[in-house]
Amino acid sequence: MRLNHAFGTAAVALLGSGFAQASDESVRQVAIVGAGAAGSSAAYFLRQFAAEAGVHVNVTVFEKTDRIGGRTLTTNPFNDPTQRFEQGASIFVKVNHILYNAMTEFGLSPSYRDADVDSVMGIWDGDRFVFTIDQNAPSWWKILKVIRKYGISGPRKVQHLTATTVAKFLRLYEPQFFPFESLTQRAEDLGLLEVTGVTGEQYLEANDVDARYARGLVQASTRVNYASNLAQIHGLDTMVSMAADGALAVEGGNWQIFHEMIQRSGAVVALNTTVIGIDKVSDSTTSQQRYAVQTRSGSALDSSTTHPVTFDHVVLANPFQFSGISVGEGVLETAIDEIPYVQLHVTIFTSPYRLSPEFFGLPTSAKVPGMVLTTLAQSDTPSSGVGGVGKAGFLSVSMLGQATNPQTKRREYVYKIFSPEAVTPEFLSRLLGRSVPSGFTGSDSPISWYLPHVFNSYPRALPRVTFQDPVVGAGVYYTSGMESFISTMETNALMGKNVARLVVDDMQGATVAKSKNGLAWEEKQSILV
Ligand SMILES: Cc1cc2nc3c(=O)[nH]c(=O)nc-3n(C[C@H](O)[C@H](O)[C@H](O)COP(=O)(O)OP(=O)(O)OC[C@H]3O[C@@H](n4cnc5c(N)ncnc54)[C@H](O)[C@@H]3O)c2cc1C
Ligand SMILES: *[C@@H]1O[C@H](CO)[C@@H](O)[C@H](O)[C@H]1NC(C)=O
Ligand SMILES: *[C@@H]1O[C@H](CO)[C@@H](O)[C@H](O)[C@H]1NC(C)=O
């Protein structure tokens, strides 16, 4: 545990002024650390639940960067804010109720696949395309194409498994299951531990899904969605990867949902403000426990200050292991486990050229599919990490759309590459069939604009049957335990909403006995049938 004497004294000294400032004793102070999907949703629903309950909250959101959205990150080719493409989280689906309802309520518009990109999707195994399909073809034709290649039974079984799994998950939104103090308990209640407890490969095999279909189409989905082969990802994330029918995004950028949530929450937002320490302080007059938060400003890296307000509740809304927060004695009653994350390189670039057919072993006259997913070659061993990418060498390359080059005023292609390692000029030269200089761009480069980004994108979702629960201390909550279960914008927003509910219940002194003890036997029966 951190021992910071100077800070301790400062915190106690400031505590008095914090109380004095909040002259209205009934105002409950809540700190949210992180303004991604989870933190924004927590702020938004806190306001709503508090208003309904008639409690007064003052929410402060601390965000390290100078923007809202976290891993939901919209990028502007040629640094032109009117040209927008997702470099982080890009899609969601209609049954993502929190996102979809927020989008609709906030007057934001959905956008579906860009019409001016090539609609063909191909799965490449490093040697050849094992499958291609035109996504704009009528559904009967697409179904026929899949059946001709993989038979009818595999696709039908996977579709059924996906539908039943999604239906089980969606019950988490129902009053009977929401809120929850234990994610592990809920996963068990909903019969989802048997899906998270095995690999996607085992889960599909146990359900008699044809191995060729699993290794081809399903694995291409887990690789593009979670940078993982089927043998290294649990069954639930595998099913989530297959539940992308009707995928959509917010016109102009997904981050707008979270920005608007924060706006409407009425929270005080401290951007460029990194939380570096949290300590428990007790108020001698009321003997109440509160939390002091130490921050550092983004521009002044060596100076730290103690935030003038102390907090009744703290919501940690980011993966704790990367947050750089040191917590004082007694803040965490449950340790937050470190979990392995995938390091993903997401590279966006523009070029007037199409991808080289030769790179993919296609005839010179052939057109490379607009979306290239990958799977393992016959000769590959399915290992995890960088080696797990196999002969293909990358996870996906897709044409996102077109952007106008301000210099030439011409429309160019916008590409996105997912890879486990940084993309090199040598690789790009082969991919485009033209020499890319060591600086990537320049007057003689086929690449006109280039922006790589490295994310700790999501956990390596190895099978597991226990999850970090959201209550980690007295009045201290944590949202990212959700990520080992399912890592998406929606699930993290759901966890933010769940924590908001728990905080307000706590303020009202309600004991949510049900979630702690699990469900009654009869309730379980009704779910399982
Ligand atoms: C490349 C990529 C593609 C993805 N694709 C999809 C997709 O298509 N669909 C989908 O639903 N999901 C997708 N995901 C997953 C999705 O982005 C995440 O699950 C979700 O956005 C996580 O939200 P969060 O709020 O939990 O965390 P984050 O978005 O990581 O937000 C945490 C915030 O906390 C801030 N922070 C961290 N430490 C501190 C500190 N000490 N003090 C103050 N602030 C701090 C960070 O700056 C950040 O803004 C993708 C992720 C990546 C990386
Ligand atoms: C609300 O929180 C902000 C930031 O933490 C603080 O400046 C403000 O004084 C607080 N307001 C009340 C009424 O407590
Ligand atoms: C955050 O820091 C960046 C870079 O130092 C600066 O450009 C921006 O104006 C700052 N934003 C806020 C809200 O302080």
Side-chain angles (χ1 to χ4, degrees), residues 72-259:
T72 304
L73 165 65
T74 309
T75 280
N76 310 119
F78 306 108
N79 307 316
D80 170 359
T82 66
Q83 314 205 57
R84 293 167 291 208
F85 295 89
E86 301 291 0
Q87 194 151 16
S90 53
I91 55 164
F92 59 99
V93 288
K94 208 166 174 176
V95 295
N96 288 167
H97 298 309
I98 296 176
L99 297 184
Y100 196 84
N101 292 347
M103 178 183 73
T104 312
E105 199 184 318
F106 301 162
L108 299 167
S109 315
S111 100
Y112 296 86
R113 205 154 24 74
D114 207 324
D116 55 22
V117 307
D118 192 318
S119 58
V120 176
M121 184 275 279
I123 301 175
W124 192 60
D125 73 356
D127 288 322
R128 61 197 179 90
F129 280 100
V130 294
F131 186 66
T132 56
I133 196 161
D134 186 342
Q135 298 175 90
N136 282 352
S139 10
W140 65 266
W141 169 255
K142 290 193 280 186
I143 293 167
L144 211 67
K145 180 123 201 219
V146 172
I147 291 172
R148 237 180 16 222
K149 169 84 185 179
Y150 295 111
I152 195 164
S153 134
R156 183 179 273 170
K157 279 180 186 149
V158 169
Q159 191 180 36
H160 174 73
L161 289 172
T162 307
T164 45
T165 309
V166 168
K168 283 181 187 172
F169 166 76
L170 287 176
R171 302 214 60 186
L172 263 185
Y173 295 73
E174 296 173 10
Q176 191 186 357
F177 298 96
F178 181 91
F180 47 94
E181 286 184 19
S182 168
L183 181 56
T184 305
Q185 183 64 56
R186 276 297 177 269
E188 187 186 343
D189 296 338
L190 296 170
L192 287 171
L193 290 185
E194 62 216 53
V195 196
T196 61
V198 293
T199 66
E201 190 171 54
Q202 290 164 336
Y203 187 64
L204 296 179
E205 202 174 288
N207 284 284
D208 287 326
V209 172
D210 170 58
R212 242 169 25 99
Y213 181 65
R215 194 183 164 99
L217 225 139
V218 182
Q219 183 157 264
S221 301
T222 58
R223 282 166 66 101
V224 70
N225 282 293
Y226 288 116
S228 182
N229 292 315
L230 264 189
Q232 279 87 29
I233 187 171
H234 62 57
L236 186 55
D237 270 345
T238 304
M239 293 295 101
V240 169
S241 302
M242 292 305 288
D245 267 0
L248 62 112
V250 176
E251 185 75 54
N254 292 328
W255 63 276
Q256 295 170 105
I257 289 183
F258 307 117
H259 187 261

Side-chain angles (χ1 to χ4, degrees), residues 23 49 62 66 113 125-127 141 170 179 243 253 270 354 413 471 509 515 518:
S23 53
F49 294 148
F62 296 96
D66 62 353
R113 205 154 24 74
D125 73 356
D127 288 322
W141 169 255
L170 287 176
R354 295 193 64 104
Y413 301 114
V471 184
S515 36

Side-chain angles (χ1 to χ4, degrees), residues 248-302:
L248 62 112
V250 176
E251 185 75 54
N254 292 328
W255 63 276
Q256 295 170 105
I257 289 183
F258 307 117
H259 187 261
E260 197 60 31
M261 280 181 159
I262 291 276
Q263 292 293 308
R264 294 182 185 222
S265 75
V268 175
V269 187
L271 294 178
N272 280 354
T273 307
T274 306
V275 171
I276 58 168
I278 300 171
D279 282 81
K280 207 167 185 172
V281 288
S282 41
D283 175 35
S284 49
T285 56
T286 63
S287 78
Q288 229 186 345
Q289 297 289 313
R290 296 174 77 109
Y291 297 95
V293 168
Q294 200 182 12
T295 63
R296 188 171 272 176
S297 129
S299 48
L301 278 175
D302 39 23

Side-chain angles (χ1 to χ4, degrees), residues 33-40 62-65 67-72 87-92 96 99 225-226 258 273-276 317-319 322-325 344 346 416 418 455-458 479-480 483 486-493:
V33 186
S40 308
F62 296 96
E63 169 54 50
K64 176 168 81 176
T65 67
R67 60 178 187 88
I68 286 166
R71 276 169 274 169
T72 304
Q87 194 151 16
S90 53
I91 55 164
F92 59 99
N96 288 167
L99 297 184
N225 282 293
Y226 288 116
F258 307 117
T273 307
T274 306
V275 171
I276 58 168
N318 58 67
F322 303 126
S323 71
I325 299 173
L344 184 68
V346 182
K416 173 153 83 172
F418 283 175
F455 291 94
N456 285 309
S457 52
Y458 17 67
T479 59
S480 304
E483 290 210 71
I486 303 174
S487 176
T488 59
M489 295 182 280
E490 174 73 11
T491 48
N492 284 305

Side-chain angles (χ1 to χ4, degrees), residues 341-396:
Y341 268 73
V342 171
Q343 229 190 38
L344 184 68
H345 292 254
V346 182
T347 306
I348 297 198
F349 68 91
T350 55
S351 173
Y353 302 106
R354 295 193 64 104
L355 302 182
S356 158
E358 285 91 341
F359 177 93
F360 296 98
L362 295 172
T364 327
S365 58
K367 211 167 158 192
V368 176
M371 181 190 274
V372 179
L373 307 187
T374 60
T375 189
L376 294 171
Q378 283 305 330
S379 56
D380 283 328
T381 40
S383 58
S384 67
V386 174
V389 75
K391 199 169 178 185
F394 62 90
L395 296 158
S396 64

